[in-house]
Every structure is written in C-alpha cells, then in structure tokens.
Amino acid sequence: MSISNNTNPFHSPIKGRGTANNLAGRFAITLVEVDENDENVALLEASSPKTEVRHERTKSIISRNSSPDVPFSQSINPYKGCEHGCIYCFARPTHAYLDLSPGLDFETKLVAKTNAAYLFEEELAHANYRCQPIAIGINTDAYQPIEKELKITRDLLQIALAHRQPISLITKSTLILRDIDILAQMAEKNLIHVAISVTTLDNDLKRILEPRTASGATRLKVIRTLREAGIPVSALAAPVIPFINDHELEEIVAATAEVGVQSINYVMLRLPHEVAPLFKDWLKQHYPDRADHVLQRIMDMRSGKLYDSQFGKRMTGEGVFADLISQRFHMARRKHGLDGNRLSFLDCRQFKVPPKEGDQMPLF
C-alpha cells in the first residue's frame, strides 16, 4: 500500500452496489491508494462487501431548514447512509462527516438511530415545539432494507399517529406497504402524504443506477396499492439526467398518472461535493461513448460547473436545456391532468402534545 491523493481500492463493478469507488471524503487527512502490483488487489476486486450497521443513540432527531427549494421546514432521517446505492444520491457527502467514504462506505457502512422514536416523542412534548408537517426520509430512504428488521420508521409513524403529527414520506421501496395499516389511519385524519420516486422504467438502467431498489414497474404497483387504501400519493421524477433518462420524462408522467398519483414533480440531477467524481466515474464506466456529452450538458445548466447550489436553480438548473425539460414536463403534466396539486392539506390542528414523563392525567 502507498499513500496518495486518490483512493479507489475496487476497479471493477460490484454487483448490487452503486459504486466500487471508495474515494476519501473531503475532510480526510490521510488518503490510501492500493498498489496496483499488490497481490491482494485481485481479492479486493472480487469481493462484495457486506452491509455493516452501527447503532447510534443520537442527541436530537428533528432537523430544521429554511431552504425555499423544499416544501418542508422540519425533517427526520432515521438512518445515515443508504443501502439502495443510487449513484446520484445527493446525501452521499454527509458520510464524510463520519470520516467514511461517500462512495462504497455510504452504501455499506450504515448508521441506525435506534433511539429515534423516544427522541421524537420527547421533542414533540417540548414546550417550544410548534406543530408543522415533518418529512421523513429526505436524505436517505426511511424504507431501505435494514428498516425491515429495525422498524425505526414504523415506530416513528406510530408516534405521529398517536399524537396527530402530520408526516410526509418519500421512498422508492416496496417496504412502505408493510405500514399501510398506519398510513391508512393517518390518511383518514389528513396526517400523511407519500411521495414515490420514479427515476426510470428501464430495468437495465435501474440495475446500474439504483442497484438495490425496486423496479419502476413495481413502484407503480406501490402507488396503485397506496391509492386504493385511500392514501394521498404524489410522484417524483428524480433525478432527470441528460441523455441517460430524460427521454423517459413523458412516459413516467403518463405511467404515474395511470396508477392514480395526485401530483408529480421533477428534479434535475444534482452533483454536490463528492457526488460529482463518483458520477463521472460511473458515466465513464457504463456510458463511455456519451460521458463527456452528458457532463457538458450538466455544466450548460449549472453556469459552467457540475453543481450550482444557488436557491431557485439547484433543483431545476437554467439555460436552454433546463427550459426545454421544464416545458416538456409541464406539457405532459397538463396532458394527464396533474398540473394542479390535488393532495389534501396536512392538518396540524389535531396535534396532541405528548404527556411528559410521569404525567398521569391522560389516564383519567
């Protein structure tokens, strides 16, 4: 092994993982590079790292933001890292704060906030808390595979239902159907919105772009099942990637409308921090013939850069191509009757302050 400014111990794609690149996070001091002549390299390339989960007792659970680009001011993320392995995930850079790689580590070294439900109820009971809708699973999917066993998201929903706290969820997982009993009860009280992300309907693309996620067809079935249970559902075509999936935009709008979504939006590809080099490597590996073309078009929409963090621009981009995508999307949305937001409002008026520990009044 030798010290270098590059770290990529895996060189071949790893089946079921979004990236084989374990590049160092932007805060790393010492970077390690595998010696190409090392006899262990072949073993590293052939390995398929298993998912590791660290249990964490966090100090707070409700995060707050004032961004004008997102429709919520409060959010909860039960997990850090995500096994879905979507190569484009804008949350990958958060793993650098854990002294872990936003690359392969983000998909394989996860953190579960095991005291999330306890803290949630405690924070709802705080004297300064004012009820507003809370979005669950914004950074990383609240229904990624480890949720099946840990049930942190389900516990959060049970507390939200008990205290009439409105929730919005976004996922691309079929596991959400496990909690349809709670979601249906919340829907009856106008306490829930669900958004299902539909990035592509092409299974071949999904396998390399979002390796451990449900197919587009399966996500459409999830939407239909939730709607049949009376649960408000919107769709999110995200991210739209030039020359990779942008040609599917109208098809995604049509397919989601057919299964009953009440609204749909889109987000252009975002490449903050370490996501940019990871995505560039992915492009050159899977689409070498068009990689430069894709990157140039992204820069055309981002003021000559791969990412522009300016509010009002980061979700949609700007320029001729961004305008074309916007026009196509809005035409498709109007065609299928989705140009108005038909989701019911989330009702904060029913909120019940949880009793403080030791308070017995609710028993009488």
Side-chain angles (χ1 to χ4, degrees), residues 138-297:
I138 297 302
N139 276 359
T140 56
D141 203 312
Y143 283 105
Q144 60 179 288
I146 57 174
E147 165 64 17
K148 185 174 183 179
E149 176 184 351
L150 297 179
K151 299 181 180 178
I152 298 174
T153 300
R154 183 174 176 85
D155 290 343
L156 292 169
L157 290 176
Q158 287 177 322
I159 289 170
L161 175 59
H163 303 299
R164 306 298 190 261
Q165 166 63 51
I167 296 292
S168 61
L169 284 167
I170 181 169
T171 185
K172 56 190 69 170
S173 172
T174 61
L175 186 55
I176 191 174
L177 297 181
R178 178 202 63 188
D179 295 337
I180 202 167
D181 57 331
I182 302 175
L183 298 174
Q185 293 179 67
M186 295 182 74
E188 290 176 357
K189 298 174 173 61
N190 291 324
L191 296 174
I192 190 72
H193 284 168
V194 173
I196 301 297
S197 173
V198 183
T199 312
T200 179
L201 299 175
D202 181 339
N203 283 340
D204 291 333
L205 175 57
K206 186 217 73 74
R207 275 191 286 269
I208 57 175
L209 188 66
E210 308 170 323
R212 296 198 175 197
T213 64
S215 69
T218 299
R219 296 183 212 182
L220 295 176
K221 292 178 182 177
V222 169
I223 292 172
R224 186 186 294 277
T225 302
L226 291 171
R227 290 296 297 125
E228 289 173 347
I231 297 162
V233 183
S234 62
L236 190 62
V240 175
I241 308 172
F243 308 118
I244 300 295
N245 72 341
D246 67 286
H247 63 282
E248 295 186 74
L249 189 57
E250 288 84 357
E251 184 181 4
I252 290 172
V253 173
T256 55
E258 184 177 350
V259 293
V261 296
Q262 295 163 285
S263 66
I264 184 169
N265 285 292
Y266 78 98
V267 177
M268 291 300 302
L269 176 69
R270 299 162 54 194
L271 298 175
H273 301 300
E274 294 90 349
V275 185
L278 288 168
F279 185 75
K280 287 169 67 175
D281 286 350
W282 180 88
L283 271 179
K284 291 174 181 177
Q285 188 171 69
H286 296 287
Y287 294 98
D289 58 328
R290 70 182 90 162
D292 291 340
H293 200 28
V294 173
L295 294 172
Q296 184 58 56
R297 186 51 54 87

